[in-house]
Each structure stands twice: as C-alpha cells, then as structure tokens.
Amino acid sequence: MKSCGIAALAILATVSLGHANAQGYFGIGIGSYEMTTDLDDIYDGLKGTNDIKGLEGILGFEQNAYVAWEARLGLGLGSDNMVLHLQGESTGTDLEYKAQSYFSGYFRPQYKGSRGQLYGLLGYTSISGEASFDGEKEDTSDDGFSYGVGAGF
C-alpha cells in the first residue's frame, strides 16, 4: 500500500495525564479510506484502488494545542471492488476486496476552534484483508506510508 487517504469522524473522550498542556485521549471512530495498492508482485506496473470503511479505536497523546501522536486499530466494514490499473490505465477488471483489520500510527498536526477541530495525519498503516476474483479467495496484507485529513467534534 503506497497511500491510504483518511477522512474520519471521531468521538473523543479526553483523559488528563497530569502534564502541563499535554493530555491523552481515546475514542471510537468511523473512517472512510481510499487505498492505492502496488501489485507489482502480480504484474509490473499494476496497481489497485478501492474504498474501505472501518470501525476503529483511537488512542492518542496531545503534545500541545497543535501537535498530537495517534494510534488506530480498526476492523473493516463490508467489501468493495478494487479497480485495477496498469501504467495508469484501467484494465477493466475488478477484484472484490474486504479489509479485515488495520493498524495505523500517525503524527497529527491540528487546529482547534470553538466548534471542533481540523487535523492532518501523516504516518504508517498495516492492513490485512481478503481478495476475491472469479470465485477464488486469497488472504492479503500490505503496509506503507499513509496520510489524510479529518475533523473532530
């Protein structure tokens, strides 16, 4: 997986850790992800893209008002067709892909306003799932750089 764009809505419960201007938080979120996967092991230059939805637990540490560090552990919800591209052109063939679980670790720059917050995510994601094509199923896993944006209320 080269990139995983994330837009998540999280309900956060804040827990104070006793440090001045620093606090931990945890919560549950629902995320929608666009994933691009390198499939060079199947054919040189082959990539797949699909949308994934997940339910995730979030654990974070807010270093200050503008910087946080976050870990997310999630379970995939449903499946989606992975559109295959070769050298940037659609192949006209799709795989069914079901995300089973994923883990992400992020650096999180953020801006807090009176009604909520906006944030970016830069980090690493590892995902496992199941790909199906023409009645055959195969367990898959991948990892790599991930990034995204989100909002919290």
Side-chain angles (χ1 to χ4, degrees), residues 12-24:
L12 302 178
T14 303
V15 179
S16 175
L17 295 178
H19 298 287
N21 297 325
Q23 61 184 2

Side-chain angles (χ1 to χ4, degrees), residues 18-69:
H19 298 287
N21 297 325
Q23 61 184 2
Y25 57 91
F26 63 92
I28 297 173
I30 296 174
S32 180
Y33 314 87
E34 182 176 301
M35 183 173 78
T36 300
T37 305
D38 281 333
L39 301 169
D40 287 328
D41 55 334
I42 297 172
Y43 194 85
D44 191 36
L46 187 63
K47 296 186 183 302
T49 58
N50 65 313
D51 295 322
I52 295 172
K53 292 175 181 41
L55 176 64
E56 58 194 21
I58 303 167
L59 180 63
F61 176 75
E62 190 173 82
Q63 188 171 332
N64 58 45
Y66 304 103
V67 174
W69 302 91

